[in-house]
Structures are given as structure tokens and as C-alpha cells.
Amino acid sequence: MTKTVELTTSAGVIRLELDEAKAPTTVANFLSYVNKGHYDGTVFHRVIKSFMIQGGGMTTDMSQKPTDAPIQNEANNGLKNTKYTVAMARTNAPHSASAQFFINTKDNDFLNFTSESPSGWGYAVFGKVVAGTEVVDAIEKVRTGRKGFHDDVPLEAVVIEKAVEIA
């Protein structure tokens, strides 16, 4: 069964189709954050041209929101980090993803699963953009700089105003 989430951002609306069959844990985790309003008022805090846009964890003042426990990495599900797919962000620890996600703005093969080893786990894709690719493209083009300890931060906040699951 396919689930759909709509992200209303200050740059426009992005519609995500989630792949519950191939990434059940990741989709359930993402929907849990959506349904409790976690993403509302967060920003795309890391934007790198010809790579990706990342959000879901920081408020407009770059404070990190509290999260639930990390989830098991499902990057070995066969889904690839291609343009306009959505994947979970994580630290260097393979099974550390919680709330933050990113949308690939080009094919990023180097992020794909290669083996169940610390360097091979990759980043779990769990859906794709099905509407609003022009919004993703616009966010990718914003001017960025440094804010506190963070690089690649949009100089003008790109806010996720509301994230909702739609039928």
C-alpha cells in the first residue's frame, strides 16, 4: 500500500509517495513524525547544489528538535538514491536515522547500499517526489552560508510549514 505525504513549505508544496512495501520501518517512522506534527515549523537546514536538500530536524533558529529512538537502516531494500527520491539522513553510524530526511537533487549512487558493513550500509530511500519537483529545484538554488556550527544553511529560511498524510 502506498502512503502519501504533503509538505507545505514556504517555497511551495512537495508531495511524497512513500514505499511502505520496501521500507516498512522507515515509512512507519516518518509517518509517526508527520502525524504528531514534528515537521511543522522545521526548516530545510542543509542545502547543497547538485546533491540534496535536507530537513526535518531543526527549527528556524537552528535548534535541534528532540526525536524518538533511531531506526534500523533499510537501505538494503533495493531502492536507489536517484533524483527526487527521499531518504533518511543519519550520522556515520549506519542505524542512527531518526527524524531528518533528504531529497536527492541528482542521482547519488555513492549513497546506495553496497554491503552490511559500516562503510557499505548507505542511506535508506523510502519514497519519491511525485509532485512539486519545481519546488525542490527552487530550494536547491537558494543562497546558503554558515549559521552557528552549520554549513550550507539557506540564508533565508525555507520552512516546512505543515506536513500531512493525505488519502
Side-chain angles (χ1 to χ4, degrees):
M1 172 114 182
T2 304
K3 303 283 188 178
T4 305
V5 167
E6 202 165 80
L7 303 175
T8 301
T9 77
S10 55
V13 176
I14 301 168
R15 184 171 287 185
L16 305 174
E17 184 179 277
L18 310 181
D19 194 329
E20 196 174 29
K22 290 192 174 169
T25 301
T26 308
V27 169
N29 175 70
F30 186 75
L31 288 174
S32 170
Y33 284 109
V34 167
N35 292 326
K36 64 184 168 189
H38 175 89
Y39 295 125
D40 302 357
T42 61
V43 294
F44 282 99
H45 67 275
R46 187 168 173 239
V47 172
I48 302 175
K49 286 174 184 50
S50 298
F51 180 34
M52 59 88 219
I53 63 173
Q54 180 176 334
M58 304 282 195
T59 60
T60 53
D61 67 359
M62 294 300 286
S63 296
Q64 190 158 344
K65 291 185 79 168
T67 62
D68 297 333
I71 59 170
Q72 182 72 21
N73 189 330
E74 292 181 305
N76 57 352
N77 63 13
L79 298 174
K80 304 294 183 198
N81 282 278
T82 55
K83 188 171 185 172
Y84 301 127
T85 57
V86 60
M88 291 306 294
R90 61 172 178 79
T91 67
N92 287 334
H95 306 288
S96 61
S98 56
Q100 292 186 31
F101 63 92
F102 62 92
I103 298 171
N104 289 290
T105 59
K106 73 176 205 55
D107 292 355
N108 289 311
D109 295 340
F110 71 98
L111 298 179
N112 293 335
F113 173 86
T114 56
S115 67
E116 290 187 8
S117 66
S119 62
W121 262 105
Y123 292 76
V125 171
F126 64 98
K128 62 186 176 187
V129 176
V130 293
T133 55
E134 71 285 353
V135 177
V136 174
D137 294 345
I139 296 170
E140 181 192 20
K141 291 179 176 81
V142 301
R143 291 186 51 228
T144 60
R146 188 164 176 79
K147 191 169 186 179
F149 298 107
H150 303 278
D151 288 320
D152 308 305
V153 179
L155 297 178
E156 188 174 314
V158 180
V159 181
I160 298 171
E161 296 164 350
K162 191 150 201 62
V164 293
E165 186 176 358
I166 56 175

